[in-house]
Amino acid sequence: MKSLFDDATAVQYRNDPLAMRVYTSRLLGQESDLVLHGGGNTSVKIGDTLYVKGSGWNLDTIEKPGFSPVDLGTLCAMVERETLSDTQMVKEQREAMADQSAPNPSIEAILHAIIPFAYVDHTHADAVVTLTNTPEGKALVQELYGENMLIVDYVMPGFELAKHIYEITRTVDWNTLSGIILMHHGVFTFDDDAKRAYEKMIHIVTVAETHLAERVTLACGDCEGKSDPDIPRAVAAEAAKLRGCELFPLMIDSPRAQLFSILPDLDALVKKGGLTPEHVIRIKPFPAIIDGDIAEGISKFAQDYKAYFEANASQEHICLDLAPRYAVIKGVGIVVLGKDEKESRIIGDIVKHTITAILSAEQLGGWKSLSLAQMFQMEYWELEQAKLKNAQ
């Protein structure tokens, strides 16, 4: 991955840290192999205020109003607590904002606050996460990046992750760290200079990309085939019965999607976790698998999803709809099932990146990301559940 930082452009922001934050955030956001559709977050500390990416903003188009100004001292004090619910965390972060018209701060605001550098960048870099999503992923990334890379086992994003990193770095000299790799999740880089923080991210990703390029062969992912147009319509019609609305199907029948559809043990493979935890909210924890009979495949998904819910839910949880967000048609490709064209294209982008990662990992010893219980924890995040309860 090449650095897009341009010194001639950046010079105009040298006396405006927030403008520089916008500039390098957009550079990160332009790379779909780093973040997709609202993923990732960035921040800058200015005086006693943390300006952190706000909810609802994408890095590729973010502007100054997209950064929430939160009192830095308040955030650093929050991490000292033993426990803190996400609902209470969001409430207190909002109360600590200097501008109440700004969006809610990222759920990673506390973690950004405790990293002792001005600029902090966080992405879900495909290449790095692909390496972590293999059976020997932790040992592999440790070998690739050396002892100065902090490798962190998966912890639920938000307060739990911030608290965990706070505890394990109490005796660490942050100046010796080249970055943080979160297993099955993503990457953090940081520096007091925006360019250095950004280019540390580019370097980390390039190392992973080089490792993959030397060991993985993938079919062309761009050229689509010409499958029967009746297939996506029929799949959407069946799934719509479970979702309660019409669906906008998109067909992905590229050579890569076709290869994915005929992988051995596909049914088990797709239940070994997604590319990164945030994606589960968009695409659910696994797809429908259709081998001939479309109605049977969609019905099987509903049964499996209900069993997944019942295995992990408490009495407080409200079950989401039983419709898949995408279906793998064996020997054909993938049908994306969004409620409209916008949602289908977002799901489609995530699915394309996910199957590329899985196909790559399978050539490195196998795909192993999050457990279904961990996926459930993210999909049924208490803040999302609160929205459902309020709507009832």
Side-chain angles (χ1 to χ4, degrees), residues 233-247 284 286-290 293-307 319-327 337-339 343 380:
R233 287 196 289 266
V235 175
E238 286 297 326
K241 297 174 185 177
L242 296 171
R243 195 166 180 186
C245 63
E246 289 189 15
L247 299 177
K284 291 204 166 182
F286 47 82
I289 305 294
I290 297 174
D293 191 314
I294 292 173
E296 181 180 333
I298 298 298
S299 176
K300 177 66 164 53
F301 172 87
Q303 295 170 20
D304 288 351
Y305 187 83
K306 187 174 182 181
C319 188
L320 304 176
D321 67 81
L322 301 180
R325 294 303 183 260
Y326 71 106
L337 301 162
K339 67 181 184 295
E343 184 180 72
Y380 283 81

Side-chain angles (χ1 to χ4, degrees), residues 150-217:
L150 181 64
I151 312 295
V152 181
D153 290 332
Y154 178 76
V155 177
M156 178 72 176
F159 175 77
E160 289 183 36
L161 177 60
K163 181 71 174 179
H164 179 67
I165 291 180
Y166 174 70
E167 294 293 345
I168 65 175
T169 58
R170 282 180 179 270
T171 59
V172 170
D173 179 358
W174 280 86
N175 290 299
T176 67
L177 296 180
S178 54
I180 302 173
I181 291 179
L182 307 175
M183 294 295 293
H184 318 300
H185 181 168
V187 184
F188 272 86
T189 55
F190 32 83
D191 202 284
D192 287 328
D193 178 81
K195 179 180 180 180
R196 288 197 298 267
Y198 165 75
E199 292 193 336
K200 285 178 182 179
M201 181 69 69
I202 300 305
H203 171 71
I204 290 169
V205 175
T206 299
V207 170
E209 288 178 334
T210 301
H211 185 85
L212 288 170
E214 292 172 348
R215 291 162 178 80
V216 171
T217 301

Side-chain angles (χ1 to χ4, degrees), residues 3-25:
S3 171
L4 301 177
F5 195 97
D6 180 66
D7 290 315
T9 300
V11 68
Q12 62 187 301
Y13 310 127
R14 62 185 175 186
N15 296 319
D16 188 342
L18 187 55
M20 183 65 81
R21 177 68 286 175
V22 170
Y23 174 62
T24 55
S25 298

Side-chain angles (χ1 to χ4, degrees), residues 7 18 25 28 86 147 170 227 255 276 329 332 380:
D7 290 315
L18 187 55
S25 298
L28 294 169
D86 288 329
E147 62 182 11
R170 282 180 179 270
S227 58
T276 192
I329 319 297
V332 177
Y380 283 81

